[in-house]
Amino acid sequence: MDIKEILKSINNELESCMESLDEGQLQELKLRIREAKSIFVAGAGRSLLMIRGFAMRLMHLGFSVYVVGETTTPAIGPGDLLIIASGSGSTGSLTVMAEKCKKAGADLALITTIPDSVIGRKADCIVHIDAPTTKNVAGVSHKKTVQLGANTFEQSVLLVGDAIVIDISSEHSLEKSNELLMKKHANLE
């Protein structure tokens, strides 16, 4: 298989994941984002990289958003929302964060391949991404993939975040949304 064929396979995998998303789950996450006083995001490994991109775009739209673990991240509390991206829904450090989030009275959203997971059972809102991963177990997607690890899930997290941001910003024209984005874009580069 050459590289262009691999790219076509990846595109087909992502298309399949996007088709299987539940619009109601996506709308619920969007609503919780809109209603939150502050938004916190967390993940581990490559999932963290993808959810950080989502946080950046939400900040560009004017939301108060923080990445858990950064030195300037404040305490979470009632009225806040923690969004965790975890393919397994059971990563140890993220499970601890989910417990602390609930104890603090904040809402918890999970983007995952396994809704019925340790974090999923604590979550107020779940976006289920039916993506193949190396952690597939009974009840989890058994779709085939040409990709390593949990690539399809991680790529889907980025795309889902971007789609939610586009939906939130759709009250403005694309030009106006880009103008607002650029007002918040980094300028110390």
Side-chain angles (χ1 to χ4, degrees), residues 2 5 12 17 33 73 98 100 107-108 123 129 147 149 168:
D2 65 26
E5 289 173 328
N12 290 339
C17 285
I33 288 167
T73 300
K100 289 181 177 184
D107 285 342
L108 174 63
I129 295 177
Q147 300 190 73
I168 290 171

Side-chain angles (χ1 to χ4, degrees), residues 6-21:
I6 293 169
L7 286 168
K8 287 179 186 175
S9 294
I10 290 169
N11 187 57
N12 290 339
E13 290 174 19
L14 291 169
E15 185 176 343
S16 175
C17 285
M18 298 305 107
E19 286 176 1
S20 67
L21 288 168

Side-chain angles (χ1 to χ4, degrees), residues 40-42 48-49 52 55 65-75 97:
F40 297 75
V41 301
L48 175 59
L49 296 174
R52 286 173 72 105
V65 61
Y66 305 95
V67 177
V68 175
E70 297 292 318
T71 56
T72 57
T73 300
M97 283 181 209

Side-chain angles (χ1 to χ4, degrees), residues 41-55 67 83-91 94 110-113 129 131 133 135 149-159:
V41 301
R46 288 168 44 103
S47 296
L48 175 59
L49 296 174
M50 300 303 131
I51 200 78
R52 286 173 72 105
F54 188 24
V67 177
I83 305 170
I84 294 177
S86 174
S88 70
S90 62
T91 304
L94 300 176
L110 175 65
I111 303 172
T112 188
T113 64
I129 295 177
T133 77
K135 297 180 181 178
N151 280 13
T152 309
F153 170 72
E154 295 147 358
Q155 293 157 350
S156 296
V157 169
L158 182 66
L159 293 173

